[in-house]
Amino acid sequence: MPVVSLGLWQNFGHADPVATQREIVLHAVDRGVTHLDLANNYGPPGGAAEETLGRLLARELRPLRDELVVTTKAGYRMGPGPYGEGGSRKYLLSSLDASLRRLGLDHVDIFYSHRFDPTTPLDETIGALATAVRSGRARYAGISSYSARRTREALAVAAEVGLDLVVTQVSYSMLNRWIEEPDASGRSVLEVAHESGMGVVAFSPLAQGMLTDRYLRGTPEGSRAARGGPLRPEFLSPQNLEHVRRLDALARAQGRPLARTAIAWAARDPRITTVLVGARSVGQLDDSLAALEDPPLSDEEIAAVEAIPRDTGINLWASRSSDL
């Protein structure tokens, strides 16, 4: 995978200009971003991001299909009723079939269990991933937002059913370092993944926009926090914003924006395979990719991150997966 990959979680819904979505994806591929990450519920509405990429895969990207890593997930709410979310075999496989129709593909490269589901036996969830791979609907299987304990359990079940669980996708940023924290066994998500040979895809390296200069002087109109999106107003606490201001000052002293520093920080650990970024414009994407060309982080920047509490309360996925 490339060091920086493109996630289509935000800015790829029906309310976003189709021309801009097209421009961002094609520019990313032109820049060597070969990994395009989706989930069944990305949009809004759910399915919209897959439909967008499906149109591009049918036309402009058709000759490049085998050069791309196209990934999708299922686990969070996508439809009504008991089979519209969770980790059941019925939901995961029917969702994958629907994703393939929207994408216009006969397979994705990685299919993920998007979250740990305590209401479904893990052998059923992992067994569904095994079926997806064996049926040819997915080349590889992965998990997302699983804790160290649940990752170990998933790996054990996968070994029993003969599935190679190759990757875990987790939130990770200077303000959200939960994957570094050891659990009761003394092992962290990063350590479990590394020891088992799993790749690690780090998403939300900018903490839903907090690690930019956008919120240094309040909440701008039209921002994610103002729109009631995943960046909740309570995340922008005085303490968290003070951390961001200090990091911003240090980044500027090094001659680069905070966002590029945050991406470089998330990618610094050799156990991280790729860092997923979003983009609302080609310019924003180029700025994220520029992080690959910046000098290494300074000792002061690294020390400032180490001074931040590991739990700043912004892990959106804690109560819905990684704490379960």
Side-chain angles (χ1 to χ4, degrees):
M1 290 183 177
V3 177
V4 173
S5 300
L6 179 63
L8 279 69
W9 175 30
Q10 304 283 335
N11 308 309
F12 287 86
H14 285 176
D16 303 289
V18 173
T20 301
Q21 297 178 47
R22 174 183 177 276
E23 185 180 25
I24 292 169
V25 173
L26 296 183
H27 185 72
V29 174
D30 284 343
R31 290 290 312 271
V33 177
T34 54
H35 174 212
L36 306 173
D37 181 75
L38 300 134
N40 59 351
N41 62 342
Y42 287 177
E50 290 178 330
E51 290 171 352
T52 291
L53 184 57
R55 288 190 292 269
L56 294 172
L57 288 167
R59 299 193 294 263
E60 293 93 334
L61 296 179
R62 186 173 182 179
L64 302 176
R65 169 62 187 102
D66 290 336
E67 298 179 38
L68 301 174
V69 175
V70 177
T71 68
T72 197
K73 319 175 198 71
Y76 287 108
R77 172 63 66 181
M78 181 59 180
Y83 311 118
E85 69 173 327
S88 72
R89 179 180 181 84
K90 177 175 175 61
Y91 173 53
L92 293 183
L93 293 178
S94 62
S95 176
L96 175 56
D97 289 340
S99 291
L100 292 174
R101 288 193 295 270
R102 287 188 289 266
L103 289 164
L105 298 175
D106 60 6
H107 73 275
V108 291
D109 296 294
I110 302 174
F111 181 52
Y112 290 93
S113 165
H114 205 170
R115 68 178 179 96
F116 174 75
D117 176 15
T119 70
T120 302
L122 196 54
D123 58 351
E124 179 174 344
T125 299
I126 301 304
L129 296 181
T131 296
V133 173
R134 288 173 186 151
S135 66
R137 286 175 276 182
R139 294 291 186 251
Y140 303 95
I143 54 177
S144 180
S145 297
Y146 279 49
S147 67
R149 171 191 171 190
R150 300 305 185 186
T151 300
R152 288 194 301 272
E153 293 174 352
L155 285 164
V157 173
E160 290 176 5
V161 300
L163 173 68
D164 190 8
L165 206 56
V166 302
V167 64
T168 183
Q169 187 172 137
V170 287
S171 60
Y172 187 49
S173 74
M174 295 192 289
L175 296 177
N176 181 15
R177 300 172 61 186
W178 72 276
I179 63 171
E180 299 176 355
E181 288 295 289
D183 64 6
S185 74
R187 314 305 290 169
S188 68
V189 172
L190 275 177
E191 289 169 326
V192 171
H194 180 67
E195 290 164 1
S196 65
M198 297 178 83
V200 179
V201 177
F203 70 88
S204 201
L206 303 184
Q208 295 98 61
M210 289 181 65
L211 290 169
T212 69
D213 60 5
R214 252 197 135 184
Y215 299 98
L216 297 179
R217 289 165 291 279
T219 304
E221 184 177 349
S223 64
R224 290 186 189 181
R227 296 195 309 264
L231 178 53
R232 300 169 186 166
E234 60 265 29
F235 294 171
L236 300 170
S237 66
Q239 183 180 29
N240 282 347
L241 287 177
E242 182 55 35
H243 295 318
V244 173
R245 291 188 186 99
R246 173 163 169 72
L247 292 169
D248 178 68
L250 288 169
R252 293 187 182 282
Q254 299 294 319
R256 61 187 169 211
L258 175 58
R260 295 210 315 248
T261 299
I263 292 168
W265 183 90
R268 84 203 184 287
D269 192 311
R271 295 170 294 185
I272 300 296
T273 308
T274 186
V275 177
L276 277 177
V277 301
R280 64 174 181 270
S281 67
V282 164
Q284 190 179 73
L285 175 62
D286 280 338
D287 193 56
S288 293
L289 293 173
L292 304 178
E293 303 165 3
D294 286 336
L297 302 180
S298 68
D299 292 341
E300 292 80 7
E301 289 173 306
I302 294 173
V305 177
E306 289 301 319
I308 298 173
R310 298 298 174 100
D311 183 8
T312 58
I314 70 165
N315 185 3
L316 279 172
W317 305 269
S319 63
R320 293 181 287 172
S321 183
S322 53
D323 280 354
L324 300 177

